[in-house]
Amino acid sequence: MTELSLRLAVSLAQIAAVMGIVMLTVMILTLAERKVLGWMQDRMGPMEVGPYGILQPIADGLKLFFKEDIVPAGANKFMFSLAPILAMVPALIGFAVIPFGPNETIQLFGMTIKPFVISDINIGVLYILAFASIGAYGIILGGWASNSKYSLLGGLRSAAQIISYELNVGLAIVGVLIMAGSLSLVKITDAQAGGFWHWYVFAFPAPQIFAFVVYVISAVAETNRVPFDLPEAESELVAGFFTEYSGMRFAFFFIAEYANMVLVSCVAAALFLGGWNAPYPGTILGHIGLEPFAWIEGVAWFTVKVYGFLFLFFWLRATLPRLRYDQLMKFGWKVMLPIALANIVVTAIAMYIYNQFK
């Protein structure tokens, strides 16, 4: 095999591994959310399929796979079919630039590869923001192509909501980019090594605590989760933009929502909480002489941080009521946006003064 063929094979293997982990995480989340909500509401959650209901995601997947695929008579069939794909694919593409573990290189078949990141590009943050915005078109098209007033209202709400809160997500990240001096998620994560006091949410001279809060709230809105689930409000729009969807097309929208939750959690962990870096200098495995296995500790810390954010999504759903639409827009434009802009100004001034006296 030529070197090009080997590189292609290794890249495809990395992509398959990451996609497999993401899809497995989505399956786990569908069960975990129902279990966590059940415990918070003093009930058991799914208990019928398998021991303690652990096979419920498989049953749900099989049910959706074998369900009749209905296309409404008045729908635009091409757009109706395209919309779920357009929602799901950008959600999965974003994982290409996420560093899941240490920035290490290994030699394989004479090639140098990084096992924990598919692609380390110098505009990783922009790449994620760009593809995340494309996913909004899937929701808008799904609402319009269904030829249903409920779906159309859900699509229009989603368009306005994503435009409003995507701006805040982007601005919340700018403070971190000023401090890191890079758009590469790998370099941003590496710069936070050495203990939790180097994580950008706490780092001197401009802790990004306000940016972190703005990012987390805006990310919840971006993923259409409670209390910002206006595009699919069951009590008023039946199911919003995917009211008319069934079978695997419904499953694609479902996968897109949970994959986006995982993606924004990965980005939050990488930008604000040090990514795979432990909250203490070095690694415990490294300190006790097991340096070749230290990557396990890094991957474990990254996983813990991501699942912490995902638990927050469930906690918010169990706790908060849905906002009214005017409250949602006012909160985005009149509260979140000024805080994000002020954070950029303060961070820029603090970094300028710090660099002058360094």
Side-chain angles (χ1 to χ4, degrees), residues 61-339:
L62 288 171
K63 180 193 74 171
L64 288 170
F65 185 78
F66 288 108
K67 260 194 169 183
E68 184 182 359
D69 189 19
I70 299 167
V71 180
N76 182 316
K77 289 181 174 57
F78 175 71
M79 293 296 184
F80 187 81
S81 303
L82 179 66
I85 299 167
L86 202 55
M88 185 179 77
V89 171
L92 298 175
I93 285 175
F95 290 97
V97 295
I98 299 291
F100 298 98
N103 185 23
E104 296 176 351
T105 56
I106 61 171
Q107 293 294 324
L108 189 69
F109 304 120
M111 295 183 303
T112 302
I113 64 165
K114 292 183 177 181
F116 299 112
V117 58
I118 294 172
S119 178
D120 177 15
I121 57 175
N122 58 3
I123 52 164
V125 174
L126 288 180
Y127 170 90
I128 289 174
L129 289 174
F131 275 105
S133 61
I134 291 174
Y137 289 108
I139 293 172
I140 297 161
L141 275 178
W144 174 80
S146 298
N147 194 32
S148 160
K149 53 181 174 289
Y150 296 119
S151 301
L152 181 60
L153 275 171
L156 291 172
R157 280 184 173 189
S158 181
Q161 181 170 319
I162 286 173
I163 289 167
S164 302
Y165 282 88
E166 196 169 310
L167 178 66
N168 297 333
V169 166
L171 291 174
I173 291 170
V174 171
V176 170
L177 302 182
I178 292 171
M179 293 183 72
S182 173
L183 284 162
S184 164
L185 280 165
V186 174
K187 289 178 182 172
I188 292 171
T189 306
D190 286 346
Q192 298 175 75
F196 70 89
W197 52 93
H198 292 135
W199 296 356
Y200 286 130
V201 71
F202 306 119
F204 181 81
Q208 296 297 300
I209 186 71
F210 290 107
F212 177 65
V213 172
V214 169
Y215 176 88
V216 170
I217 294 172
S218 301
V220 173
E222 273 274 279
T223 50
N224 298 328
R225 297 283 302 180
V226 176
F228 303 102
D229 64 331
L230 276 298
E232 51 191 79
E234 292 90 351
S235 55
E236 47 201 82
L237 297 181
V238 189
F241 59 89
F242 52 74
T243 300
E244 303 295 341
Y245 282 91
S246 61
M248 286 309 292
R249 289 176 181 152
F250 174 85
F252 283 176
F253 274 125
F254 202 70
I255 291 167
E257 179 177 316
Y258 280 89
N260 274 319
M261 284 167 56
V262 178
L263 181 61
V264 297
S265 299
C266 288
V267 173
L271 291 180
F272 295 99
L273 297 182
W276 53 266
N277 289 299
Y280 41 80
T283 59
I284 293 172
L285 290 173
H287 292 321
I288 63 174
L290 296 172
E291 190 63 44
F293 301 100
W295 62 268
I296 297 172
E297 197 172 330
V299 173
W301 274 112
F302 185 78
T303 305
V304 166
K305 292 169 188 175
V306 170
Y307 272 85
F309 281 110
L310 292 170
F311 177 77
L312 179 65
F313 279 100
F314 305 157
W315 196 357
L316 291 173
R317 179 173 174 180
T319 309
L320 299 176
R322 184 182 300 124
L323 290 174
R324 217 172 53 227
Y325 200 73
D326 61 313
Q327 293 172 330
L328 173 98
M329 300 309 277
K330 182 190 284 187
F331 186 64
W333 290 100
K334 293 188 175 180
V335 179
M336 295 279 105
L337 184 62
I339 293 173

